[in-house]
Amino acid sequence: MAKTIYVLNGPNLNMLGTREPETYGHATLADVEKLCADTAARFGLNADCRRSNSEGELVDFIHEAHAKKAAGIVINAGAYSHTSIALHDALVAVQIPAVEVHISNVYAREEFRHHSFTAKAAFASLCGFGIDGYRLAINGLAAKIGAKAKS
Ligand code: CA2
């Protein structure tokens, strides 16, 4: 059976493509989720995409990934990346290889975006590639878990 990776998006990311295109581009969350599904499929993986404005629900998704034996997690926890010890602790607890993604280059923005709790719990972190960061993250995750590209 195909392995599943969870793609978790946090608060306000449902607004993608509707506001602040200079920071986040024109693609929508649906575009992100399709990109993730297509990229995962290249490696014979399923992408289970979830989004929530709620920190607790994001914690629940991480626990669910563990319960369902997910092979990896790609997470853009939005602003919770910079604040949430709960998300850090959940990622550490489940021991699932995780990659953090930010669409924007957080290091070229306000100082409060320069620290990330989720990055500390991830094996890799990407920022500034726009939504292509999700594709890059899945490629890196596939390499990490030994999923080979299908020909
Ligand atoms: O660059 C990223 O992906 C962020 O995770 C996005 C978060 C921000 O708080 C992080 O510092 C960096 C914000 C998500 C808000 O997304 C919007 C998208 C379009 C319009 C308005 C908000």
Side-chain angles (χ1 to χ4, degrees), residues 105-121:
N105 179 357
V106 288
Y107 298 103
R109 301 181 65 192
E110 302 93 331
E111 201 157 329
F112 62 79
R113 299 184 203 275
H114 296 184
H115 176 269
S116 167
F117 286 101
T118 47
K120 278 198 182 301

Side-chain angles (χ1 to χ4, degrees), residues 123-143:
F123 77 85
S125 181
L126 289 167
C127 73
F129 288 102
I131 72 159
D132 202 39
Y134 291 85
R135 184 184 64 78
L136 296 168
I138 293 172
N139 276 289
L141 186 55

Side-chain angles (χ1 to χ4, degrees), residues 11-20 23-24 76-82 101-106 109 112-113 134:
N12 298 311
L13 284 158
N14 55 311
M15 305 284 281
L16 280 175
T18 68
R19 301 254 194 299
E20 300 179 52
T23 306
Y24 299 114
N76 181 351
Y80 291 142
S81 316
H82 316 302
V101 174
H102 293 291
I103 295 166
S104 63
N105 179 357
V106 288
R109 301 181 65 192
F112 62 79
R113 299 184 203 275
Y134 291 85

Side-chain angles (χ1 to χ4, degrees), residues 8-112:
L8 305 181
N9 282 297
N12 298 311
L13 284 158
N14 55 311
M15 305 284 281
L16 280 175
T18 68
R19 301 254 194 299
E20 300 179 52
E22 64 288 354
T23 306
Y24 299 114
H26 292 280
T28 64
L29 182 65
D31 295 330
V32 168
E33 293 185 345
K34 182 175 185 322
L35 175 63
C36 290
D38 290 349
T39 307
R42 287 192 48 235
F43 297 97
L45 300 167
N46 288 324
D48 196 332
C49 299
R50 307 294 180 87
R51 194 208 65 82
S52 180
N53 287 330
S54 152
E55 183 179 13
E57 193 170 19
L58 291 165
V59 169
D60 288 341
F61 291 154
I62 293 168
H63 293 173
E64 182 186 311
H66 175 64
K68 300 245 173 91
K69 301 190 177 359
I73 293 175
V74 172
I75 184 163
N76 181 351
Y80 291 142
S81 316
H82 316 302
T83 62
S84 179
I85 298 170
L87 285 174
H88 168 278
D89 288 353
L91 288 168
V92 169
V94 299
Q95 292 282 292
I96 298 171
V99 186
E100 179 191 68
V101 174
H102 293 291
I103 295 166
S104 63
N105 179 357
V106 288
Y107 298 103
R109 301 181 65 192
E110 302 93 331
E111 201 157 329
F112 62 79

